[in-house]
Amino acid sequence: MTRPAIFADIAPPSTEKRPVSDTHHGITRVDEYAWLRADNWQEVFRDPSLLDPDIRSHLEAENSYQAELMADTAELRKKLFEEMKGRIKEDDSSVPMKDGPFAYGSSFKKGGEQPRYFRVSSEGGPEEIILDGDKEADGHAYFRLGGLDHSSDHQRLIWGFDDKGSEFYTLRVRDLASGAELADIVGDTGGSGVWDAANAGFFYTRLDPNHRPSKVLYHALGTEPGSDQLIYEETDPGFFMNVGGTRNNDWIMISISDHETSEYRLFPAADPLAAPKLVAAREIGLQYDLEEGGDIFFVLTNADGAKDFKIMTAPVSDPVRTNWKELVAHEPGRLILSVIGFKDFMIRLERKEGLPRIVVHERATGAEHHISFPEEAFSLGLSGSYEYDTDMMRFSYSSMTTPTQLFDYNMRTRERVLLKTQEVPSGHNADEYVTRRLMAPAADGELVPISLIHHRDTPLDGTAPCLLYGYGSYGMTIPASFNTNCLSLVDRGFVYAIAHIRGGKDKGYAWYDDGKRATKTNTFADFIATAHHLVAERYTSHDRIVAQGGSAGGMLMGAVANMAPEAFAGIIAEVPFVDVLTTMLDDTLPLTPPEWPEWGNPIASEDDYRTIAAYSPYDNVAALDYPPILAVAGLTDPRVTYWEPAKWAARLRERKSGSSPVLFKINMDSGHAGASGRFSRLEEVAFNYAFALKVVGRA
């Protein structure tokens, strides 16, 4: 296609070349822009002021360039922001969930950026604010709350915060009666803590300098963090680790996993210094999760070839694998996603024929029923319960046209009570919109699901612009849920579509397997196939499709830009993982060893090296007529480091043909998740949407 001149003819920043080379498996690469990676990146994550002045100067020049190119959208961005803000109930509040004498919930105050957490007496009465996020965030350019855990006696609260965007969280302990902070301050954690049975101390994960959760420690209240007791240390940098508890406060569980293997160690919550007991030793490809069940554990596992998972039980007295017994058999094509145990019931969330469903299992009789819903495509979420001995559980429901509904469900009587429907203060009439579920034929004959929404008045003759969103990695399923933000595009005539491509688990575990490592290119081919199908079905045209993805979805954006630049009018890549080969060759980076099962290990395997090199976006930039590209990043991002999109933008400008610009926007005060406040995040969405509207001529 001949691309129209949309942006002002302004010279982009000139990026100095400082070539460095590396050789692996006899293959040598040259990277002209490697200098953009700060040598002291660990220190920069903790203190951004330590960034090398040359790098900072370059990043600031990038921000000046994109700001100048997007200056003519300032009023549009303001309007988009006000629209999206108008769809948010500013003083929204959750429905509190009962836990013994109290019910706990969260709320926002009008104009507030951060949530407030509150509790009320289970008998009714006024709200008691136990943590005010806006108050805690005051004076910080960036602030994000981590996990919260109230003690079982309801006297204290563990809470975490990150004020850099680097995801090194600090834990504090608050006395709930007085609101005073205890002297206990624990830094460099994963963001949450879990109480022991006596509420005398808590367990947490400590991050090492490379941002890996390498240790589980126990902190006794009133002691110095430097004397915290080591409970377990994970020496393999290829594994993630987390520590959690059960609702009965009887077990502490240490979960250890990568993307294909898992392992649990557990010990009584009443004996905080007990040696953790191994349940089933890690075995490559064996995955399992434990869920409490009183005298048993429920075990969700893929053992014995159960690719889409089955449910076993294990006695708490000796839960080793030889004692596992089958409860719910494996059924190919029915992917069991999660399990919640109660005294008399077990709930499972599963996905069958591309749609989620909730199944209630009565423990005494084995009888099962599932909760049904009428729409063609929808999203479900399990909130569960704070309590274990109860007949009530909570879940949420939404679709692309239906605002989120929150229900309490009586597992015994099957009574469903609507607690709350998401309010859209500026108004929302579901009848004005149409949602569809399409199947796009992939090159190899597979059918790729597409969920989409458009206004009922939008002409479906190929003239409508389209924002096509994709992810396709780590087995993540992108739900067909209600999204108030995208209505700002849909109301302007856009078709908003989600491509449920391989690499996710949208059609079962095999859908994930067929989009990772050696078969990763299926992910990219599927996304391109969905674009072609939307054009063939007259929903849009290639010169009107804006592709969007973030993180691993940003890698998808870089790959499809190289493979089929003519298929898109624009590309939005948020925190994009585009320098895949370089990152997977650097085992000092936070996520590299744990990511090898997903992408392959190019250090150890020449085949993996060549596979990644063949699609890595940065390594495959060529003299192509790319569409306008917007890359967005955060300086302190420990997941996708800022230098990946910085280098990508520089190489794109160096090698591409055509006149379309490459914009690189970097938030100098945030990390992987973008701006921390809810309205600050809306400003970022408004910027992305303004770019999309601009490139299709609707700005």
Side-chain angles (χ1 to χ4, degrees):
M1 71 177 79
T2 301
R3 299 191 186 278
I6 298 167
F7 291 85
D9 186 14
I10 301 170
S14 176
T15 311
E16 182 183 350
K17 293 183 179 181
R18 304 179 191 175
V20 297
S21 63
D22 66 79
T23 301
H24 294 269
H25 310 293
I27 304 166
T28 298
R29 296 184 309 152
V30 177
D31 188 348
E32 306 88 349
Y33 305 112
W35 66 272
L36 289 169
R37 176 191 188 273
D39 291 335
N40 64 334
W41 57 267
Q42 291 104 327
E43 289 78 16
V44 170
F45 284 172
R46 297 171 181 273
D47 184 357
S49 69
L50 299 177
L51 183 66
D52 179 278
D54 284 353
I55 299 174
R56 180 176 294 278
S57 176
H58 176 76
L59 298 179
E60 290 172 346
E62 289 281 13
N63 272 340
S64 296
Y65 173 66
Q66 56 85 6
E68 196 170 359
L69 285 184
M70 291 290 287
D72 60 344
T73 67
E75 286 302 314
L76 173 61
R77 291 179 346 237
K78 183 178 179 181
K79 187 172 184 180
L80 289 167
F81 171 79
E82 292 299 333
E83 286 176 8
M84 291 185 286
K85 183 179 178 183
R87 297 190 194 102
I88 295 175
K89 187 176 180 344
E90 287 200 47
D91 55 352
D92 201 9
S93 178
S94 71
V95 179
M97 184 179 288
K98 184 175 180 293
D99 184 15
F102 293 98
Y104 291 81
S106 63
S107 64
F108 286 91
K109 61 185 177 185
K110 193 167 185 177
E113 291 273 12
Q114 300 284 344
R116 300 182 302 177
Y117 293 89
F118 68 86
R119 68 181 181 183
V120 295
S121 168
S122 294
E123 304 301 320
E127 291 183 0
E128 173 192 354
I129 301 298
I130 59 175
L131 185 70
D132 185 334
D134 286 313
K135 181 179 177 182
E136 301 302 333
D138 188 40
H140 296 280
Y142 178 94
F143 187 86
R144 187 176 297 276
L145 288 168
L148 282 79
D149 188 27
H150 59 266
S151 58
S152 60
D153 60 9
H154 306 278
Q155 293 184 14
R156 296 188 178 98
L157 178 77
I158 307 168
W159 63 283
F161 67 91
D162 167 23
D163 59 4
K164 298 290 190 300
S166 59
E167 299 180 42
F168 284 99
Y169 284 85
T170 298
L171 296 181
R172 302 288 319 252
V173 180
R174 175 166 297 188
D175 180 88
L176 291 178
S178 67
E181 300 292 345
L182 276 62
D184 306 77
I185 303 175
V186 182
D188 295 346
T189 79
S192 61
V194 56
W195 292 100
D196 66 18
N199 303 305
F202 59 87
F203 305 90
Y204 64 95
T205 54
R206 167 71 54 79
L207 304 183
D208 67 17
N210 284 2
H211 205 275
R212 294 172 186 147
S214 59
K215 296 177 180 179
V216 171
L217 297 167
Y218 174 72
H219 176 75
L221 294 183
T223 65
E224 288 296 321
S227 63
D228 287 353
Q229 182 73 33
L230 176 66
I231 302 300
Y232 179 77
E233 181 171 9
E234 177 52 54
T235 58
D236 188 334
F239 282 81
F240 301 101
M241 184 167 60
N242 188 39
V243 61
T246 57
R247 282 165 294 151
N248 268 337
N249 301 308
D250 48 1
W251 294 99
I252 302 296
M253 299 180 176
I254 300 173
S255 60
I256 304 163
S257 65
D258 62 14
H259 293 294
E260 63 183 12
T261 303
S262 55
E263 178 179 277
Y264 270 78
R265 296 170 184 267
L266 51 86
F267 55 97
D271 189 1
L273 301 184
K277 181 177 182 179
L278 177 65
V279 175
R282 65 193 71 173
E283 176 185 318
I284 293 176
L286 173 65
Q287 299 180 52
Y288 68 97
D289 280 312
L290 293 186
E291 167 65 10
E292 67 183 309
D295 59 345
I296 62 168
F297 289 114
F298 295 106
V299 185
L300 176 61
T301 181
N302 67 350
D304 312 311
K307 193 164 193 174
D308 286 324
F309 290 78
K310 61 182 177 179
I311 302 173
M312 314 280 280
T313 63
V316 296
S317 58
D318 193 11
V320 296
R321 186 176 174 184
T322 53
N323 290 335
W324 294 1
K325 294 182 179 179
E326 186 174 274
L327 178 66
V328 178
H330 175 241
E331 180 184 311
R334 178 198 64 188
L335 178 64
I336 304 177
L337 300 167
S338 61
V339 173
I340 301 179
F342 294 90
K343 180 175 180 290
D344 296 325
F345 299 92
M346 178 195 70
I347 304 294
R348 67 178 185 269
L349 179 64
E350 58 187 34
R351 182 173 294 276
K352 190 172 183 179
E353 297 175 351
L355 290 175
R357 69 180 189 180
I358 297 170
V359 180
V360 180
H361 174 99
E362 188 172 12
R363 294 179 61 174
T365 65
E368 293 189 347
H369 68 274
H370 69 268
I371 308 171
S372 60
F373 306 94
E375 292 190 87
E376 183 176 335
F378 54 84
S379 172
L380 292 176
L382 272 182
S383 304
S385 168
Y386 279 131
E387 298 180 324
Y388 175 76
D389 186 2
T390 179
D391 291 344
M392 303 298 296
M393 71 94 172
R394 187 168 290 180
F395 71 89
S396 61
Y397 171 89
S398 74
S399 75
M400 296 186 83
T401 59
T402 305
T404 301
Q405 298 174 325
L406 188 69
F407 294 90
D408 263 352
Y409 185 78
N410 189 306
M411 296 175 282
R412 195 174 303 278
T413 67
R414 306 189 186 186
E415 181 185 9
R416 184 189 312 184
V417 177
L418 176 62
L419 300 173
K420 178 182 178 182
T421 298
Q422 179 183 353
E423 292 184 47
V424 183
S426 59
H428 174 71
N429 181 358
D431 293 337
E432 293 180 356
Y433 303 95
V434 177
T435 184
R436 292 291 312 280
R437 183 91 159 175
L438 308 180
M439 290 292 183
D444 60 359
E446 288 282 1
L447 294 177
V448 183
I450 306 171
S451 300
L452 64 81
I453 182 174
H454 63 82
H455 197 280
R456 193 169 292 280
D457 296 337
T458 297
L460 301 181
D461 57 3
T463 61
C466 172
L467 190 138
L468 179 58
Y469 180 87
Y471 188 75
S473 290
Y474 306 116
M476 297 290 292
T477 298
I478 305 300
S481 55
F482 189 64
N483 175 356
T484 58
N485 291 340
C486 77
L487 296 179
S488 285
L489 294 179
V490 173
D491 287 346
R492 287 174 170 81
F494 267 70
V495 174
Y496 182 87
I498 300 170
H500 301 283
I501 51 185
R502 274 174 280 190
K505 293 177 185 170
D506 306 69
K507 292 177 70 174
Y509 200 88
W511 201 244
Y512 170 39
D513 258 354
D514 210 19
K516 64 187 289 195
R517 297 194 69 156
T519 58
K520 188 63 205 171
T521 53
N522 285 336
T523 302
F524 318 136
D526 284 357
F527 190 83
I528 295 167
T530 62
H532 288 317
H533 188 67
L534 289 168
V535 172
E537 294 295 310
R538 305 283 286 165
Y539 281 94
T540 187
S541 299
H542 285 297
D543 62 353
R544 292 171 171 83
I545 301 177
V546 179
Q548 182 184 22
S551 196
M555 176 199 64
L556 167 70
M557 295 299 100
V560 301
N562 290 334
M563 293 169 65
E566 73 287 347
F568 306 100
I571 302 280
I572 301 172
E574 297 184 271
V575 289
F577 179 35
V578 284
D579 194 10
V580 185
L581 185 56
T582 303
T583 293
M584 289 297 102
L585 286 166
D586 186 350
D587 60 7
T588 69
L589 291 173
L591 293 184
T592 292
E595 300 286 73
W596 285 331
E598 181 77 14
W599 314 108
N601 182 348
I603 300 173
S605 165
E606 181 177 345
D607 286 345
D608 287 352
Y609 183 102
R610 292 185 180 277
T611 295
I612 297 171
Y615 69 74
S616 176
Y618 183 65
D619 291 279
N620 288 279
V621 172
L624 301 171
D625 185 11
Y626 290 93
I629 293 175
L630 169 63
V632 181
L635 178 62
T636 55
D637 186 348
R639 298 172 185 265
V640 178
T641 50
Y642 74 85
W643 56 83
E644 292 201 31
K647 291 166 51 178
W648 183 49
R651 182 170 279 184
L652 279 165
R653 295 191 191 116
E654 173 201 351
R655 297 186 180 181
K656 73 180 182 66
S657 62
S659 59
S660 296
V662 178
L663 289 70
F664 177 41
K665 180 176 183 284
I666 180 165
N667 190 326
M668 303 296 281
D669 295 311
S670 78
H672 194 68
S676 56
R678 58 174 176 161
F679 299 130
S680 299
R681 175 57 186 157
L682 287 185
E683 291 175 346
E684 296 180 340
V685 176
F687 187 96
N688 295 342
Y689 283 3
F691 175 86
L693 287 158
K694 185 176 175 70
V695 299
V696 299
R698 297 287 181 103

